């Protein structure tokens, strides 16, 4: 869905504090590819799925520890809300706005 494509300035409220990143979304039917890039590096989107205006994906984090992150985000116009689940660390809320 082209309405979710683009770059998003995001903030995730993680156990390590607020983490700023840029989420890049490029859809292709019911799947999508992209990355989430921040001060700790860039993580590629794995198994990105699109369902209407909802995105789901995984990321393999290496720093500060190896962990697979399960992510979801809902896009409403120029606003993104969602969460990143990091195993036993629970789910960290994520918000974002579309870059102009």
């Amino acid at each position: 869905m082209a309405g979710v494509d683009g770059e998003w300035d995001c903030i995730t409220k993680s156990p390590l504090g607020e983490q700023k990143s840029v989420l890049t979304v490029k859809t292709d039917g019911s799947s999508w590819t992209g990355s989430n890039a921040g001060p700790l590096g860039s993580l590629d989107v794995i198994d990105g799925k699109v369902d209407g205006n909802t995105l789901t994906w995984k990321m393999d984090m290496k720093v500060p520890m190896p962990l697979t992150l399960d992510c979801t985000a809902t896009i409403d116009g120029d606003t993104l809300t969602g969460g990143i689940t990091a195993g036993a660390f629970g789910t960290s809320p994520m918000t974002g706005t579309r870059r102009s």
Side-chain angles (χ1 to χ4, degrees):
M1 175 179 186
V4 301
D5 284 21
E7 290 186 335
W8 299 85
D9 286 318
C10 297
I11 296 176
T12 303
K13 295 185 179 178
S14 79
L16 299 174
E18 287 192 353
Q19 304 295 315
K20 292 183 178 183
S21 64
V22 176
L23 178 67
T24 302
V25 177
K26 179 156 178 41
T27 59
D28 182 9
S30 62
S31 65
W32 69 283
T33 57
S35 63
N36 195 27
L40 296 177
S42 181
L43 300 176
D44 289 331
V45 167
I46 300 167
D47 195 26
K49 292 184 174 40
V50 180
D51 183 7
N53 64 337
T54 300
L55 305 172
T56 57
W57 72 100
K58 297 182 184 302
M59 298 183 292
D60 283 334
M61 182 175 76
K62 305 290 185 223
V63 176
M65 68 185 71
L67 195 60
T68 297
L69 306 174
D70 290 303
C71 313
T72 185
T74 301
I75 294 173
D76 183 10
D78 291 335
T79 303
L80 177 150
T81 56
I84 297 178
T85 302
F89 295 101
T91 301
S92 299
M94 178 176 61
T95 58
T97 54
R98 187 185 308 266
R99 286 186 151 191
S100 45

